[in-house]
Amino acid sequence: MGVLIDLHDVERWKPETWKDYSAPIVRRGTDGAREGLLATYGMVPRKRIPEGVRPFDTMNARAETVGQLRSFSGAWKRSQLCLVPMTAFYEPCYESGKASRWGIGMADQSMFAVGGLWREWDGTDGPEWSFTQLTINADDHPLMQRFHKPGDEKRALVIVPQNEWDDWLQASEPEYARSFLRHYPAEAMTSWECPVPSRAKKADTPPEASDGNLAFDF
């Protein structure tokens, strides 16, 4: 069983979550009920990459290859599904001619949840967990097609509607879980320019305006 957490206990994680930061996720517990725990962002944390192997990113899992790539396939086939709660996520927008960070969230500014996968690791003080987020092609999505470099494929996180949260967590067959990998309506979403705060500490400042971070603000 994971370490149960209060999703409003914001002192336990940073307001913005970058690779290898801890963040809250929700999964199905052994009793079938929702269970909240802290997990590291990125399915394979940097400290778990074997010595001599070039670092690689596992923050996002593409729906097209999630059942094939070694980093994700085991969790996908075992239906280790989770929800990643947030109030916004960030993507780079190039409409001004250069990359600028934009926030994307719900039109009513409510909290929402993104579909993901979780994995358990053996830690020195007991089990540890990590997670990734699932993404789908967004070339034709009215909002998400605005982001990422011109000419690059557009991608979007899978936002799971609140009335489907338990159905997603309880999906025990990969092909049934795949039916949840669809776009959220653009009219129910909003976006805004959101530069990285200049007052951010050096250790928390991202190297560039790119995707791969989440905003938790409960």
Side-chain angles (χ1 to χ4, degrees), residues 72-181:
F72 312 116
S73 60
W76 175 251
K77 293 173 183 177
R78 290 189 293 270
S79 299
Q80 292 175 192
L81 308 177
C82 69
L83 292 166
V84 186
M86 62 186 77
T87 54
F89 59 92
Y90 301 116
E91 301 286 5
C93 181
Y94 288 80
E95 292 175 346
S96 66
K98 61 180 181 180
S100 60
R101 191 176 78 154
W102 279 60
I104 299 101
M106 298 293 97
D108 63 2
Q109 301 183 353
S110 63
M111 187 183 76
F112 58 100
V114 166
L117 301 173
W118 63 270
R119 177 173 177 175
E120 184 174 307
W121 303 84
D122 290 328
T124 55
D125 297 318
E128 299 174 350
W129 298 271
S130 61
F131 74 95
T132 188
Q133 302 170 120
L134 290 156
T135 70
I136 54 179
N137 179 275
D139 286 343
D140 297 322
H141 190 268
L143 176 61
M144 298 308 300
Q145 67 178 203
R146 296 179 54 194
F147 305 105
H148 295 282
K149 292 181 180 179
D152 283 0
E153 180 190 10
K154 312 306 179 183
R155 304 293 298 181
L157 297 178
V158 176
I159 298 173
V160 181
Q162 186 169 353
N163 63 352
E164 297 181 9
W165 285 358
D166 289 320
D167 293 334
W168 164 253
L169 293 176
Q170 294 169 10
S172 58
E173 295 294 333
E175 287 311 307
Y176 175 57
R178 193 170 288 280
S179 69
F180 291 84
L181 307 185

